[in-house]
Amino acid sequence: MKHILTILSACILLGCASNEDGEKQYLLQGAWTLQQIDYPTSLSDTFPHNGRTFLRLYDADSTLYECGLTQTASAMIVVPDGKCNVTLIDKGGGEHLYLEDDNPRPLTVKDDTTVVIQQNGVLYTWHRADNIAKEWSTEIHDIIVADLQREGQRSDLRSYVLSAKERQQAGYINWLVGMLVGAAVFMSIIIKMYVSKRRLTRRLQQQLHQIQENHEQRPAPVKQMMETMEDEFFASDDYLALQRRISTGQRLREEEWSDIEEQIKKVYPGFSSQLRSLHPMSELEHQTCLLIKLRIAPSDIASVLARDVSTISTVRSRLYKKVFGQKGGAKEWDEFLLSIGA
């Protein structure tokens, strides 16, 4: 008969094993503390009694670990009582057939936190103890398992003390270690960023120094030819028409910005590539630089870009700091832009 019940319970559990997400939900899994015992004589005992109660740890709905438990403000005393195999059969209507080592124990679910188990006419009311399950279940489980593995019969009860203070200290130490590791990672990132920025700054300074040397070493005829090209460009009808349109504050279309960049390349072939290699720029920063190279007044730049003059000034001074790694004024950035690109 016991074997038939066991097989039947296994079949029912397999049939009802999964929910919509494909994960099995267990009724008893977790920690439960004894709340009350009701005897057939109408007498009852309530727990905790003198700080002592009984604790059950259910591993899923298949294994039960039981112990006596005394909880104080600073510690928890555990007295292992053993383990057994359990089987739970849902009969419907909140009624379950509950077996401990194949011995039936009628079980009633009162609510999500309370169950009543009957044994030899005595009713045991168990209350779910999520706080204990969260904080102590692993330690208590390991204590009971280790105690059961000791040789010999349990003629005397052994007790084990779990210190809340030690646990708090361990938690504090873990927190401190985590903070130190986080600080070390953060500092390594900062150092890496600083070193990377220093390398970038040195590389930019070398590039700027090379540009300046190339500019100074140009033969006089080349310099004269470049100055002539500049004079012709700034006197051309196309440039004057662009300047008139910008002075009216009209916004430029995307294709017009592309045309401006192409016109600049004709006079300053290396400007675009040198500008893009200096530092990643936003659209506002890039367009501001193009107009500075065209010698457009800051007030007209602000008008055509729909920004305040102060904003355009800030953009220029910030670009100087990004590229050179030190504070500089807007005019210093303008002078730098006007010196590159040939």
Side-chain angles (χ1 to χ4, degrees), residues 129-174:
D130 290 334
N131 58 328
I132 295 178
K134 181 180 179 181
E135 298 295 331
W136 301 99
S137 62
T138 300
E139 289 91 336
I140 295 174
H141 171 273
D142 293 344
I143 285 174
I144 297 174
V145 170
D147 189 76
L148 291 172
Q149 291 174 349
R150 293 177 181 270
E151 296 181 359
Q153 299 295 321
R154 292 172 46 82
S155 58
D156 60 329
L157 296 178
R158 287 180 287 270
S159 62
Y160 303 84
V161 178
L162 298 175
S163 173
K165 183 177 181 180
E166 290 179 1
R167 186 180 185 89
Q168 184 179 15
Q169 290 175 342
Y172 176 75
I173 292 172
N174 291 336

mmCIF file of all heavy atoms in Angstrom, residues 129-174:
data_model
loop_
_atom_site.group_PDB
_atom_site.id
_atom_site.type_symbol
_atom_site.label_atom_id
_atom_site.label_comp_id
_atom_site.label_asym_id
_atom_site.label_seq_id
_atom_site.Cartn_x
_atom_site.Cartn_y
_atom_site.Cartn_z
ATOM 1 N N ALA A 129 8.667 31.094 7.915
ATOM 2 C CA ALA A 129 9.663 31.991 8.522
ATOM 3 C C ALA A 129 10.657 32.432 7.447
ATOM 4 O O ALA A 129 11.790 31.932 7.378
ATOM 5 C CB ALA A 129 10.376 31.303 9.684
ATOM 6 N N ASP A 130 10.233 33.369 6.627
ATOM 7 C CA ASP A 130 11.083 33.812 5.519
ATOM 8 C C ASP A 130 12.350 34.501 6.017
ATOM 9 O O ASP A 130 13.398 34.438 5.366
ATOM 10 C CB ASP A 130 10.303 34.759 4.594
ATOM 11 C CG ASP A 130 9.218 34.028 3.822
ATOM 12 O OD1 ASP A 130 9.375 32.803 3.611
ATOM 13 O OD2 ASP A 130 8.233 34.675 3.435
ATOM 14 N N ASN A 131 12.261 35.184 7.166
ATOM 15 C CA ASN A 131 13.455 35.870 7.680
ATOM 16 C C ASN A 131 14.549 34.874 8.050
ATOM 17 O O ASN A 131 15.733 35.089 7.774
ATOM 18 C CB ASN A 131 13.092 36.737 8.887
ATOM 19 C CG ASN A 131 12.469 35.923 10.011
ATOM 20 O OD1 ASN A 131 11.778 34.929 9.758
ATOM 21 N ND2 ASN A 131 12.684 36.339 11.250
ATOM 22 N N ILE A 132 14.161 33.761 8.653
ATOM 23 C CA ILE A 132 15.143 32.728 8.996
ATOM 24 C C ILE A 132 15.664 32.058 7.736
ATOM 25 O O ILE A 132 16.860 31.787 7.605
ATOM 26 C CB ILE A 132 14.524 31.698 9.958
ATOM 27 C CG1 ILE A 132 14.185 32.370 11.291
ATOM 28 C CG2 ILE A 132 15.463 30.520 10.177
ATOM 29 C CD1 ILE A 132 13.525 31.461 12.288
ATOM 30 N N ALA A 133 14.772 31.793 6.786
ATOM 31 C CA ALA A 133 15.194 31.161 5.537
ATOM 32 C C ALA A 133 16.220 32.013 4.813
ATOM 33 O O ALA A 133 17.200 31.512 4.262
ATOM 34 C CB ALA A 133 13.976 30.922 4.639
ATOM 35 N N LYS A 134 16.016 33.321 4.843
ATOM 36 C CA LYS A 134 16.919 34.228 4.131
ATOM 37 C C LYS A 134 18.267 34.350 4.822
ATOM 38 O O LYS A 134 19.315 34.353 4.174
ATOM 39 C CB LYS A 134 16.264 35.603 4.012
ATOM 40 C CG LYS A 134 17.114 36.626 3.273
ATOM 41 C CD LYS A 134 16.387 37.959 3.190
ATOM 42 C CE LYS A 134 17.238 38.998 2.471
ATOM 43 N NZ LYS A 134 16.546 40.323 2.395
ATOM 44 N N GLU A 135 18.255 34.426 6.161
ATOM 45 C CA GLU A 135 19.477 34.729 6.891
ATOM 46 C C GLU A 135 20.254 33.498 7.342
ATOM 47 O O GLU A 135 21.484 33.518 7.385
ATOM 48 C CB GLU A 135 19.135 35.591 8.117
ATOM 49 C CG GLU A 135 18.528 36.943 7.783
ATOM 50 C CD GLU A 135 19.500 37.847 7.046
ATOM 51 O OE1 GLU A 135 20.727 37.706 7.272
ATOM 52 O OE2 GLU A 135 19.049 38.686 6.253
ATOM 53 N N TRP A 136 19.518 32.411 7.712
ATOM 54 C CA TRP A 136 20.196 31.326 8.413
ATOM 55 C C TRP A 136 20.029 29.941 7.796
ATOM 56 O O TRP A 136 20.633 28.989 8.279
ATOM 57 C CB TRP A 136 19.688 31.250 9.862
ATOM 58 C CG TRP A 136 19.891 32.492 10.651
ATOM 59 C CD1 TRP A 136 18.971 33.466 10.903
ATOM 60 C CD2 TRP A 136 21.098 32.918 11.294
ATOM 61 N NE1 TRP A 136 19.514 34.469 11.662
ATOM 62 C CE2 TRP A 136 20.834 34.157 11.931
ATOM 63 C CE3 TRP A 136 22.382 32.374 11.411
ATOM 64 C CZ2 TRP A 136 21.790 34.845 12.654
ATOM 65 C CZ3 TRP A 136 23.334 33.071 12.140
ATOM 66 C CH2 TRP A 136 23.039 34.287 12.743
ATOM 67 N N SER A 137 19.206 29.793 6.770
ATOM 68 C CA SER A 137 18.859 28.442 6.300
ATOM 69 C C SER A 137 20.078 27.632 5.876
ATOM 70 O O SER A 137 20.168 26.433 6.164
ATOM 71 C CB SER A 137 17.855 28.524 5.148
ATOM 72 O OG SER A 137 18.418 29.223 4.046
ATOM 73 N N THR A 138 21.024 28.249 5.201
ATOM 74 C CA THR A 138 22.206 27.517 4.742
ATOM 75 C C THR A 138 23.004 26.988 5.926
ATOM 76 O O THR A 138 23.399 25.807 5.953
ATOM 77 C CB THR A 138 23.094 28.419 3.878
ATOM 78 O OG1 THR A 138 22.344 28.868 2.742
ATOM 79 C CG2 THR A 138 24.331 27.668 3.392
ATOM 80 N N GLU A 139 23.256 27.843 6.944
ATOM 81 C CA GLU A 139 24.027 27.412 8.106
ATOM 82 C C GLU A 139 23.308 26.311 8.888
ATOM 83 O O GLU A 139 23.919 25.323 9.296
ATOM 84 C CB GLU A 139 24.293 28.615 9.033
ATOM 85 C CG GLU A 139 25.275 29.619 8.478
ATOM 86 C CD GLU A 139 24.592 30.719 7.678
ATOM 87 O OE1 GLU A 139 23.475 30.461 7.182
ATOM 88 O OE2 GLU A 139 25.171 31.813 7.562
ATOM 89 N N ILE A 140 21.989 26.474 9.093
ATOM 90 C CA ILE A 140 21.232 25.466 9.848
ATOM 91 C C ILE A 140 21.201 24.148 9.097
ATOM 92 O O ILE A 140 21.374 23.068 9.690
ATOM 93 C CB ILE A 140 19.797 25.979 10.122
ATOM 94 C CG1 ILE A 140 19.853 27.211 11.049
ATOM 95 C CG2 ILE A 140 18.951 24.889 10.740
ATOM 96 C CD1 ILE A 140 18.511 27.873 11.276
ATOM 97 N N HIS A 141 20.980 24.200 7.789
ATOM 98 C CA HIS A 141 20.973 22.985 6.968
ATOM 99 C C HIS A 141 22.307 22.256 7.107
ATOM 100 O O HIS A 141 22.352 21.028 7.311
ATOM 101 C CB HIS A 141 20.697 23.353 5.517
ATOM 102 C CG HIS A 141 20.888 22.215 4.552
ATOM 103 N ND1 HIS A 141 22.111 21.927 3.987
ATOM 104 C CD2 HIS A 141 20.005 21.298 4.062
ATOM 105 C CE1 HIS A 141 21.981 20.879 3.192
ATOM 106 N NE2 HIS A 141 20.708 20.485 3.221
ATOM 107 N N ASP A 142 23.411 22.994 6.992
ATOM 108 C CA ASP A 142 24.729 22.366 7.072
ATOM 109 C C ASP A 142 24.982 21.776 8.460
ATOM 110 O O ASP A 142 25.609 20.711 8.580
ATOM 111 C CB ASP A 142 25.808 23.394 6.736
ATOM 112 C CG ASP A 142 25.758 23.841 5.277
ATOM 113 O OD1 ASP A 142 25.110 23.145 4.479
ATOM 114 O OD2 ASP A 142 26.366 24.881 4.955
ATOM 115 N N ILE A 143 24.485 22.432 9.507
ATOM 116 C CA ILE A 143 24.651 21.907 10.875
ATOM 117 C C ILE A 143 23.930 20.577 11.014
ATOM 118 O O ILE A 143 24.474 19.604 11.558
ATOM 119 C CB ILE A 143 24.130 22.928 11.900
ATOM 120 C CG1 ILE A 143 25.123 24.091 12.048
ATOM 121 C CG2 ILE A 143 23.892 22.254 13.261
ATOM 122 C CD1 ILE A 143 24.612 25.212 12.927
ATOM 123 N N ILE A 144 22.684 20.496 10.538
ATOM 124 C CA ILE A 144 21.902 19.257 10.675
ATOM 125 C C ILE A 144 22.544 18.136 9.879
ATOM 126 O O ILE A 144 22.680 16.994 10.357
ATOM 127 C CB ILE A 144 20.450 19.492 10.227
ATOM 128 C CG1 ILE A 144 19.781 20.534 11.139
ATOM 129 C CG2 ILE A 144 19.663 18.186 10.238
ATOM 130 C CD1 ILE A 144 18.391 20.943 10.686
ATOM 131 N N VAL A 145 22.967 18.421 8.655
ATOM 132 C CA VAL A 145 23.590 17.395 7.812
ATOM 133 C C VAL A 145 24.876 16.890 8.452
ATOM 134 O O VAL A 145 25.127 15.680 8.523
ATOM 135 C CB VAL A 145 23.876 17.963 6.403
ATOM 136 C CG1 VAL A 145 24.732 16.994 5.594
ATOM 137 C CG2 VAL A 145 22.570 18.237 5.669
ATOM 138 N N ALA A 146 25.715 17.820 8.952
ATOM 139 C CA ALA A 146 26.967 17.414 9.591
ATOM 140 C C ALA A 146 26.700 16.604 10.851
ATOM 141 O O ALA A 146 27.405 15.627 11.141
ATOM 142 C CB ALA A 146 27.805 18.646 9.919
ATOM 143 N N ASP A 147 25.687 16.971 11.601
ATOM 144 C CA ASP A 147 25.360 16.249 12.831
ATOM 145 C C ASP A 147 24.888 14.831 12.518
ATOM 146 O O ASP A 147 25.220 13.885 13.236
ATOM 147 C CB ASP A 147 24.276 17.008 13.593
ATOM 148 C CG ASP A 147 24.045 16.450 14.980
ATOM 149 O OD1 ASP A 147 24.887 16.717 15.860
ATOM 150 O OD2 ASP A 147 23.044 15.739 15.169
ATOM 151 N N LEU A 148 24.135 14.677 11.436
ATOM 152 C CA LEU A 148 23.648 13.350 11.069
ATOM 153 C C LEU A 148 24.765 12.436 10.589
ATOM 154 O O LEU A 148 24.650 11.209 10.650
ATOM 155 C CB LEU A 148 22.586 13.466 9.969
ATOM 156 C CG LEU A 148 21.256 14.107 10.378
ATOM 157 C CD1 LEU A 148 20.383 14.346 9.158
ATOM 158 C CD2 LEU A 148 20.531 13.219 11.382
ATOM 159 N N GLN A 149 25.839 13.025 10.132
ATOM 160 C CA GLN A 149 26.949 12.229 9.615
ATOM 161 C C GLN A 149 27.888 11.751 10.715
ATOM 162 O O GLN A 149 28.806 10.975 10.451
ATOM 163 C CB GLN A 149 27.730 13.054 8.588
ATOM 164 C CG GLN A 149 26.955 13.314 7.301
ATOM 165 C CD GLN A 149 27.676 14.253 6.354
ATOM 166 O OE1 GLN A 149 28.668 14.889 6.728
ATOM 167 N NE2 GLN A 149 27.188 14.336 5.124
ATOM 168 N N ARG A 150 27.649 12.227 11.930
ATOM 169 C CA ARG A 150 28.493 11.765 13.046
ATOM 170 C C ARG A 150 28.209 10.292 13.326
ATOM 171 O O ARG A 150 27.078 9.826 13.199
ATOM 172 C CB ARG A 150 28.221 12.586 14.312
ATOM 173 C CG ARG A 150 28.657 14.047 14.188
ATOM 174 C CD ARG A 150 28.278 14.794 15.454
ATOM 175 N NE ARG A 150 28.654 16.186 15.380
ATOM 176 C CZ ARG A 150 29.824 16.671 15.766
ATOM 177 N NH1 ARG A 150 30.729 15.844 16.271
ATOM 178 N NH2 ARG A 150 30.094 17.958 15.665
ATOM 179 N N GLU A 151 29.206 9.583 13.746
ATOM 180 C CA GLU A 151 29.036 8.161 14.029
ATOM 181 C C GLU A 151 28.282 7.963 15.332
ATOM 182 O O GLU A 151 28.333 8.788 16.231
ATOM 183 C CB GLU A 151 30.402 7.482 14.104
ATOM 184 C CG GLU A 151 31.180 7.504 12.781
ATOM 185 C CD GLU A 151 32.507 6.788 12.901
ATOM 186 O OE1 GLU A 151 32.807 6.299 14.001
ATOM 187 O OE2 GLU A 151 33.223 6.720 11.890
ATOM 188 N N GLY A 152 27.598 6.792 15.443
ATOM 189 C CA GLY A 152 26.902 6.450 16.671
ATOM 190 C C GLY A 152 25.491 6.998 16.712
ATOM 191 O O GLY A 152 25.086 7.782 15.866
ATOM 192 N N GLN A 153 24.750 6.559 17.706
ATOM 193 C CA GLN A 153 23.378 6.991 17.880
ATOM 194 C C GLN A 153 23.338 8.326 18.628
ATOM 195 O O GLN A 153 24.236 8.650 19.408
ATOM 196 C CB GLN A 153 22.580 5.931 18.666
ATOM 197 C CG GLN A 153 22.529 4.583 17.964
ATOM 198 C CD GLN A 153 21.774 4.672 16.649
ATOM 199 O OE1 GLN A 153 20.769 5.375 16.562
ATOM 200 N NE2 GLN A 153 22.246 3.931 15.640
ATOM 201 N N ARG A 154 22.282 9.076 18.385
ATOM 202 C CA ARG A 154 22.121 10.370 19.035
ATOM 203 C C ARG A 154 21.491 10.172 20.427
ATOM 204 O O ARG A 154 20.321 10.438 20.639
ATOM 205 C CB ARG A 154 21.239 11.287 18.189
ATOM 206 C CG ARG A 154 21.901 11.699 16.883
ATOM 207 C CD ARG A 154 20.930 12.438 15.986
ATOM 208 N NE ARG A 154 20.165 13.450 16.716
ATOM 209 C CZ ARG A 154 20.622 14.674 16.987
ATOM 210 N NH1 ARG A 154 21.836 15.013 16.612
ATOM 211 N NH2 ARG A 154 19.867 15.536 17.621
ATOM 212 N N SER A 155 22.327 9.695 21.342
ATOM 213 C CA SER A 155 21.796 9.489 22.696
ATOM 214 C C SER A 155 21.672 10.798 23.459
ATOM 215 O O SER A 155 20.913 10.913 24.398
ATOM 216 C CB SER A 155 22.724 8.526 23.467
ATOM 217 O OG SER A 155 24.039 9.060 23.511
ATOM 218 N N ASP A 156 22.464 11.778 23.071
ATOM 219 C CA ASP A 156 22.356 13.087 23.711
ATOM 220 C C ASP A 156 22.219 14.155 22.635
ATOM 221 O O ASP A 156 22.693 13.989 21.524
ATOM 222 C CB ASP A 156 23.580 13.368 24.591
ATOM 223 C CG ASP A 156 24.868 13.353 23.767
ATOM 224 O OD1 ASP A 156 24.900 12.602 22.769
ATOM 225 O OD2 ASP A 156 25.810 14.081 24.126
ATOM 226 N N LEU A 157 21.566 15.231 22.975
ATOM 227 C CA LEU A 157 21.332 16.292 22.010
ATOM 228 C C LEU A 157 22.507 17.266 22.018
ATOM 229 O O LEU A 157 22.920 17.755 23.070
ATOM 230 C CB LEU A 157 20.033 17.033 22.355
ATOM 231 C CG LEU A 157 18.751 16.199 22.276
ATOM 232 C CD1 LEU A 157 17.555 17.047 22.690
ATOM 233 C CD2 LEU A 157 18.549 15.649 20.871
ATOM 234 N N ARG A 158 23.008 17.514 20.821
ATOM 235 C CA ARG A 158 24.082 18.486 20.683
ATOM 236 C C ARG A 158 23.481 19.801 20.194
ATOM 237 O O ARG A 158 22.588 19.817 19.354
ATOM 238 C CB ARG A 158 25.136 17.986 19.694
ATOM 239 C CG ARG A 158 26.004 16.858 20.249
ATOM 240 C CD ARG A 158 27.016 16.405 19.222
ATOM 241 N NE ARG A 158 26.394 15.638 18.168
ATOM 242 C CZ ARG A 158 26.233 14.311 18.196
ATOM 243 N NH1 ARG A 158 26.657 13.624 19.254
ATOM 244 N NH2 ARG A 158 25.663 13.669 17.204
ATOM 245 N N SER A 159 24.012 20.897 20.725
ATOM 246 C CA SER A 159 23.518 22.204 20.317
ATOM 247 C C SER A 159 24.642 22.993 19.653
ATOM 248 O O SER A 159 25.823 22.791 19.961
ATOM 249 C CB SER A 159 22.963 22.986 21.509
ATOM 250 O OG SER A 159 23.983 23.220 22.468
ATOM 251 N N TYR A 160 24.255 23.867 18.761
ATOM 252 C CA TYR A 160 25.204 24.680 18.016
ATOM 253 C C TYR A 160 24.738 26.134 18.083
ATOM 254 O O TYR A 160 23.544 26.421 17.998
ATOM 255 C CB TYR A 160 25.276 24.224 16.560
ATOM 256 C CG TYR A 160 25.643 22.763 16.408
ATOM 257 C CD1 TYR A 160 24.659 21.772 16.502
ATOM 258 C CD2 TYR A 160 26.955 22.381 16.188
ATOM 259 C CE1 TYR A 160 24.980 20.435 16.368
ATOM 260 C CE2 TYR A 160 27.291 21.030 16.054
ATOM 261 C CZ TYR A 160 26.309 20.063 16.145
ATOM 262 O OH TYR A 160 26.631 18.744 16.016
ATOM 263 N N VAL A 161 25.695 27.022 18.228
ATOM 264 C CA VAL A 161 25.373 28.440 18.375
ATOM 265 C C VAL A 161 25.794 29.196 17.116
ATOM 266 O O VAL A 161 26.949 29.095 16.670
ATOM 267 C CB VAL A 161 26.083 29.052 19.603
ATOM 268 C CG1 VAL A 161 25.766 30.537 19.712
ATOM 269 C CG2 VAL A 161 25.665 28.307 20.871
ATOM 270 N N LEU A 162 24.850 29.913 16.568
ATOM 271 C CA LEU A 162 25.126 30.801 15.445
ATOM 272 C C LEU A 162 25.086 32.226 15.972
ATOM 273 O O LEU A 162 24.059 32.668 16.487
ATOM 274 C CB LEU A 162 24.082 30.622 14.336
ATOM 275 C CG LEU A 162 24.031 29.225 13.692
ATOM 276 C CD1 LEU A 162 22.866 29.154 12.711
ATOM 277 C CD2 LEU A 162 25.331 28.918 12.992
ATOM 278 N N SER A 163 26.194 32.930 15.845
ATOM 279 C CA SER A 163 26.300 34.276 16.417
ATOM 280 C C SER A 163 25.831 35.326 15.423
ATOM 281 O O SER A 163 26.359 35.432 14.317
ATOM 282 C CB SER A 163 27.750 34.571 16.825
ATOM 283 O OG SER A 163 27.885 35.924 17.222
ATOM 284 N N ALA A 164 24.839 36.098 15.839
ATOM 285 C CA ALA A 164 24.370 37.195 14.992
ATOM 286 C C ALA A 164 25.444 38.268 14.867
ATOM 287 O O ALA A 164 25.588 38.914 13.825
ATOM 288 C CB ALA A 164 23.095 37.795 15.583
ATOM 289 N N LYS A 165 26.221 38.472 15.945
ATOM 290 C CA LYS A 165 27.278 39.483 15.911
ATOM 291 C C LYS A 165 28.356 39.100 14.907
ATOM 292 O O LYS A 165 28.831 39.929 14.126
ATOM 293 C CB LYS A 165 27.889 39.640 17.306
ATOM 294 C CG LYS A 165 28.953 40.719 17.380
ATOM 295 C CD LYS A 165 29.462 40.887 18.801
ATOM 296 C CE LYS A 165 30.520 41.998 18.863
ATOM 297 N NZ LYS A 165 31.033 42.162 20.251
ATOM 298 N N GLU A 166 28.757 37.820 14.933
ATOM 299 C CA GLU A 166 29.760 37.364 13.972
ATOM 300 C C GLU A 166 29.242 37.491 12.544
ATOM 301 O O GLU A 166 29.986 37.853 11.630
ATOM 302 C CB GLU A 166 30.143 35.913 14.272
ATOM 303 C CG GLU A 166 30.936 35.733 15.552
ATOM 304 C CD GLU A 166 31.259 34.284 15.819
ATOM 305 O OE1 GLU A 166 30.867 33.430 14.979
ATOM 306 O OE2 GLU A 166 31.901 33.990 16.836
ATOM 307 N N ARG A 167 27.959 37.177 12.373
ATOM 308 C CA ARG A 167 27.379 37.286 11.032
ATOM 309 C C ARG A 167 27.370 38.751 10.579
ATOM 310 O O ARG A 167 27.665 39.061 9.432
ATOM 311 C CB ARG A 167 25.955 36.729 11.040
ATOM 312 C CG ARG A 167 25.322 36.677 9.658
ATOM 313 C CD ARG A 167 23.911 36.123 9.763
ATOM 314 N NE ARG A 167 23.343 35.963 8.436
ATOM 315 C CZ ARG A 167 23.477 34.866 7.723
ATOM 316 N NH1 ARG A 167 24.174 33.851 8.207
ATOM 317 N NH2 ARG A 167 22.945 34.786 6.519
ATOM 318 N N GLN A 168 27.039 39.642 11.519
ATOM 319 C CA GLN A 168 27.034 41.063 11.186
ATOM 320 C C GLN A 168 28.441 41.541 10.843
ATOM 321 O O GLN A 168 28.636 42.299 9.887
ATOM 322 C CB GLN A 168 26.483 41.865 12.362
ATOM 323 C CG GLN A 168 26.340 43.358 12.078
ATOM 324 C CD GLN A 168 25.756 44.090 13.272
ATOM 325 O OE1 GLN A 168 25.712 43.559 14.365
ATOM 326 N NE2 GLN A 168 25.319 45.310 13.051
ATOM 327 N N GLN A 169 29.426 41.066 11.622
ATOM 328 C CA GLN A 169 30.804 41.434 11.337
ATOM 329 C C GLN A 169 31.256 40.884 9.993
ATOM 330 O O GLN A 169 31.949 41.575 9.232
ATOM 331 C CB GLN A 169 31.721 40.927 12.459
ATOM 332 C CG GLN A 169 31.539 41.653 13.781
ATOM 333 C CD GLN A 169 32.379 41.050 14.886
ATOM 334 O OE1 GLN A 169 32.843 39.917 14.782
ATOM 335 N NE2 GLN A 169 32.564 41.803 15.965
ATOM 336 N N ALA A 170 30.859 39.639 9.711
ATOM 337 C CA ALA A 170 31.220 39.059 8.411
ATOM 338 C C ALA A 170 30.589 39.847 7.269
ATOM 339 O O ALA A 170 31.223 40.099 6.236
ATOM 340 C CB ALA A 170 30.774 37.595 8.355
ATOM 341 N N GLY A 171 29.332 40.259 7.483
ATOM 342 C CA GLY A 171 28.675 41.069 6.469
ATOM 343 C C GLY A 171 29.366 42.397 6.269
ATOM 344 O O GLY A 171 29.526 42.875 5.140
ATOM 345 N N TYR A 172 29.794 42.996 7.402
ATOM 346 C CA TYR A 172 30.509 44.276 7.314
ATOM 347 C C TYR A 172 31.845 44.102 6.594
ATOM 348 O O TYR A 172 32.230 44.930 5.763
ATOM 349 C CB TYR A 172 30.743 44.831 8.713
ATOM 350 C CG TYR A 172 31.567 46.097 8.737
ATOM 351 C CD1 TYR A 172 31.017 47.316 8.352
ATOM 352 C CD2 TYR A 172 32.912 46.065 9.126
ATOM 353 C CE1 TYR A 172 31.772 48.480 8.367
ATOM 354 C CE2 TYR A 172 33.673 47.222 9.143
ATOM 355 C CZ TYR A 172 33.102 48.431 8.757
ATOM 356 O OH TYR A 172 33.850 49.570 8.753
ATOM 357 N N ILE A 173 32.540 43.006 6.912
ATOM 358 C CA ILE A 173 33.825 42.743 6.254
ATOM 359 C C ILE A 173 33.622 42.540 4.751
ATOM 360 O O ILE A 173 34.382 43.074 3.924
ATOM 361 C CB ILE A 173 34.514 41.518 6.886
ATOM 362 C CG1 ILE A 173 34.953 41.852 8.315
ATOM 363 C CG2 ILE A 173 35.714 41.074 6.050
ATOM 364 C CD1 ILE A 173 35.476 40.663 9.085
ATOM 365 N N ASN A 174 32.597 41.766 4.395
ATOM 366 C CA ASN A 174 32.306 41.555 2.970
ATOM 367 C C ASN A 174 31.976 42.871 2.281
ATOM 368 O O ASN A 174 32.395 43.117 1.139
ATOM 369 C CB ASN A 174 31.150 40.566 2.813
ATOM 370 C CG ASN A 174 31.529 39.165 3.221
ATOM 371 O OD1 ASN A 174 32.707 38.794 3.197
ATOM 372 N ND2 ASN A 174 30.550 38.362 3.601
#
